[in-house]
Amino acid sequence: MPASETNACCKLAELAEELAASQDIRTAQDFIFRLGERAAGIRPGFRSFFDLFLAGRNLLPGHGFRPEFEDGSDGQARHFAGVAVCSAILGPKLTIWLSEKIRLDPPDQPDGRLTLMAVSFSQKLVRGELLPQASGHWIRENLCLDCP
């Protein structure tokens, strides 16, 4: 990754830490929805369905994801955050089905692998196995190529 290029993965981890420290975050769901809003433009409430259908907006463009998750676009942070929101709303099974059958992201390709990681991340948060305060570390350890 060229030095001038934004490391979107590290920015996603930093955003997760910032949100986790916020007094506005009361539940894991709040955290996931806020991450989706700030990283992927997924608005809260009923509008989230419309935003998810349109695949959100690329608010953290750049690269920095491990090779197994890198598809060459600069939208992987948006992809991850959007899928995490989708999983929190629709559940893991339907989210994975939509990814594979509608978005055509097979699980053995970068976007499919990133989808599975986003579903895992979201569900760990919902079940209380991962605290929002540890989510930045989780993102760096599991997704990012190199964060300073």
Side-chain angles (χ1 to χ4, degrees):
M1 180 174 66
S4 63
E5 195 171 297
T6 300
N7 189 321
C9 192
C10 295
K11 293 288 182 192
L12 182 65
E14 290 169 12
L15 175 60
E17 289 169 342
E18 174 189 322
L19 293 173
S22 169
Q23 298 299 323
D24 297 337
I25 303 298
R26 290 181 171 76
T27 67
Q29 295 275 22
D30 289 344
F31 173 78
I32 295 165
F33 294 144
R34 188 69 62 86
L35 186 66
E37 184 176 26
R38 297 271 307 274
I42 308 297
R43 295 171 293 180
F46 188 74
R47 296 179 296 182
S48 63
F49 291 103
F50 180 73
D51 294 336
L52 286 167
F53 178 76
L54 295 176
R57 295 188 332 261
N58 206 12
L59 300 178
L60 294 176
H63 296 274
F65 287 79
R66 290 182 181 178
E68 61 264 34
F69 306 120
E70 188 59 62
D71 71 350
S73 75
D74 63 353
Q76 296 304 77
R78 172 196 48 80
H79 181 110
F80 180 82
V83 171
V85 170
C86 187
S87 180
I89 295 171
L90 300 178
K93 289 181 183 178
L94 183 53
T95 299
I96 292 168
W97 183 88
L98 289 168
S99 173
E100 292 177 8
K101 304 300 183 194
I102 305 301
R103 305 248 344 131
L104 302 178
D105 291 334
D108 63 343
Q109 296 297 313
D111 281 342
R113 288 186 203 105
L114 191 58
T115 291
L116 295 175
M117 293 299 283
V119 167
S120 175
F121 175 79
S122 181
Q123 293 304 301
K124 285 177 185 286
L125 284 161
V126 168
R127 291 189 306 260
E129 297 169 10
L130 176 65
L131 297 175
Q133 294 79 4
S135 62
H137 177 75
W138 189 96
I139 290 168
R140 281 186 190 89
E141 290 293 311
N142 291 284
L143 303 177
C144 299
L145 185 58
D146 186 34
C147 291

